[in-house]
Amino acid sequence: MTGQKMENTSQFAAYVPCATYFHDSDCVEYVKRDSLLVYDRIDEFLTLIFDGTGKQLVGFKLKGFKNIFTQQLSGNFRLNNRQFVNLVPAFEAICQEIGDQLDDDDNRKQSYRAAKDLAANDNVALSGSYFREAA
């Protein structure tokens, strides 16, 4: 292309990690990095998401979020599109619900702790526009 200035032809914006609620599967998913991912289902509520090596935790999926939110968390929030719900209390609510089962399974307990720590360290929150769907 002699004599023509090449324009930036990138079709994709930079990846911005965020928690997303998927209504059809009633789950919240957070992935901090756009790369090859390995999913490791821990139990009926939690799936850990690792990088392509399977060693570094880069996200999580929480199933049954609508039930968790409506039964245990919704009283703490006024629902509007500008609000964000921190996901750490969702982990705490699940841990409280399954209680003794975590004490009996160290791998499961460590998995929940790792996901909760990731949510806390990355300040993962679900925007009001998403959690309105879960209410």
Side-chain angles (χ1 to χ4, degrees):
M1 301 184 106
T2 308
Q4 291 185 339
K5 187 176 179 181
M6 295 278 298
E7 292 183 14
N8 183 358
T9 58
S10 175
Q11 297 177 14
F12 304 102
Y15 181 77
V16 177
C18 70
T20 305
Y21 176 72
F22 296 98
H23 184 269
D24 291 343
S25 58
D26 186 26
C27 70
V28 170
E29 185 170 309
Y30 171 74
V31 178
K32 69 189 288 177
R33 189 178 313 147
D34 185 23
S35 63
L36 177 64
L37 303 171
V38 177
Y39 287 69
D40 181 16
R41 185 165 184 177
I42 302 305
D43 61 18
E44 66 271 20
F45 298 112
L46 178 63
T47 299
L48 296 180
I49 304 171
F50 293 92
D51 68 354
T53 67
K55 295 180 181 176
Q56 184 177 13
L57 183 65
V58 296
F60 55 81
K61 181 186 290 190
L62 281 176
K63 299 236 357 149
F65 186 77
K66 182 174 184 167
N67 181 55
I68 296 163
F69 183 78
T70 58
Q71 298 297 317
Q72 299 182 32
L73 302 174
S74 64
N76 300 327
F77 304 100
R78 281 186 33 231
L79 300 177
N80 65 60
N81 287 338
R82 293 182 307 274
Q83 186 174 15
F84 288 84
V85 175
N86 187 301
L87 291 184
V88 171
F91 283 104
E92 292 168 346
I94 293 170
C95 291
Q96 187 173 30
E97 184 174 313
I98 59 179
D100 294 336
Q101 296 173 28
L102 286 179
D103 291 332
D104 297 337
D105 186 342
D106 283 339
N107 181 51
R108 192 174 180 194
K109 188 176 195 174
Q110 290 173 355
S111 296
Y112 274 92
R113 182 174 293 128
K116 181 181 168 187
D117 288 350
L118 178 62
N121 291 338
D122 287 10
N123 211 13
V124 179
L126 188 63
S127 77
S129 61
Y130 280 121
F131 72 77
R132 286 179 64 87
E133 294 180 44

